[in-house]
Amino acid sequence: MAISRYLESRKNIAGSVCGLAGLGLTFAGVAGPYWPVVVAGLYGAGALVAPPERPAPPDFPDASAQLDAVRADFEKLCGYLAEVDLPPAAAGALTELTELLGALLEPGWVTDPEDVHLLSRAVRQDVPEAVDTFVRTRWWARMTPGQEPPERHLERQLGLLREEAERVATALREAEARRQETHTRYLQDRRRP
């Protein structure tokens, strides 16, 4: 394996090219009786001057593979959210948010790594933390009445998360509209003589 790797390396290829040049000099009569030294020297010089091999970059999963994992986590999140008892306003905001996240997670829509990261963070961290914090705080709020109800914080958090998801959806809609307009212009231009 190491021998085949060296045979395909830049150093060997550069050395071989220079060695062939040395053979050319030998056949031209320039090297004389020292031709083996000339050929070996040129091979060595070519191998020394060749750029070093670069290690291959790490093979990270692409956006679609990452989204597959986020989709699986989204299903787990939906199972968790189905068991949580929320006030009607927060439950409605959560339903709207999860429907939007579910639509964005459909295959073929989100491809930008930044958007994948935003969806991943929303599904794996932001939504579960907001709901779990509400559930825990609601229990303590019974002990200390008179403070701002935890439902309001939850509703604001879910609203902010929905705004983030809507920005992604808006960008996708605009990109698709531009794509459609571009294709229409292309077809119109193709018709003209």
Side-chain angles (χ1 to χ4, degrees), residues 119-187:
L119 292 173
S120 172
R121 188 181 62 216
V123 168
R124 294 176 175 160
Q125 180 183 349
D126 295 338
V127 174
E129 186 173 331
V131 172
D132 185 57
T133 303
F134 164 75
V135 170
R136 292 170 184 260
T137 307
R138 182 172 64 175
W139 185 84
W140 286 104
R142 287 185 222 150
M143 307 286 239
T144 56
Q147 295 184 355
E148 186 176 14
E151 319 49 82
R152 289 204 184 112
H153 285 288
L154 177 62
E155 289 168 20
R156 278 193 297 245
Q157 291 168 3
L158 295 174
L160 292 170
L161 290 171
R162 181 179 167 100
E163 287 175 17
E164 273 188 348
E166 284 175 345
R167 280 195 295 272
V168 173
T170 300
L172 287 172
R173 273 193 303 271
E174 290 171 357
E176 289 301 315
R178 280 192 306 272
R179 183 174 168 222
Q180 188 176 29
E181 290 170 8
T182 302
H183 190 63
T184 301
R185 274 190 303 243
Y186 163 73
L187 292 174

Side-chain angles (χ1 to χ4, degrees), residues 15-180:
S16 297
V17 168
C18 289
L20 286 174
L23 282 176
L25 290 173
T26 300
F27 292 129
V30 176
Y34 301 108
W35 71 269
V37 175
V38 171
V39 171
L42 285 174
Y43 175 87
L48 287 174
V49 224
E53 295 293 324
R54 291 186 315 250
D59 185 25
F60 295 118
D62 64 348
S64 63
Q66 291 175 355
L67 276 176
D68 289 341
V70 175
R71 284 185 197 103
D73 291 343
F74 182 68
E75 289 180 23
K76 290 179 197 173
L77 174 65
C78 289
Y80 163 72
L81 295 176
E83 296 178 12
V84 176
D85 183 31
L86 298 175
L94 184 63
T95 301
E96 290 174 2
L97 175 62
T98 54
E99 286 175 356
L100 182 56
L101 289 174
L104 289 171
L105 287 171
E106 287 292 319
W109 289 111
V110 174
T111 56
D112 181 38
E114 292 295 323
D115 294 342
V116 171
H117 175 71
L118 186 139
L119 292 173
S120 172
R121 188 181 62 216
V123 168
R124 294 176 175 160
Q125 180 183 349
D126 295 338
V127 174
E129 186 173 331
V131 172
D132 185 57
T133 303
F134 164 75
V135 170
R136 292 170 184 260
T137 307
R138 182 172 64 175
W139 185 84
W140 286 104
R142 287 185 222 150
M143 307 286 239
T144 56
Q147 295 184 355
E148 186 176 14
E151 319 49 82
R152 289 204 184 112
H153 285 288
L154 177 62
E155 289 168 20
R156 278 193 297 245
Q157 291 168 3
L158 295 174
L160 292 170
L161 290 171
R162 181 179 167 100
E163 287 175 17
E164 273 188 348
E166 284 175 345
R167 280 195 295 272
V168 173
T170 300
L172 287 172
R173 273 193 303 271
E174 290 171 357
E176 289 301 315
R178 280 192 306 272
R179 183 174 168 222
Q180 188 176 29

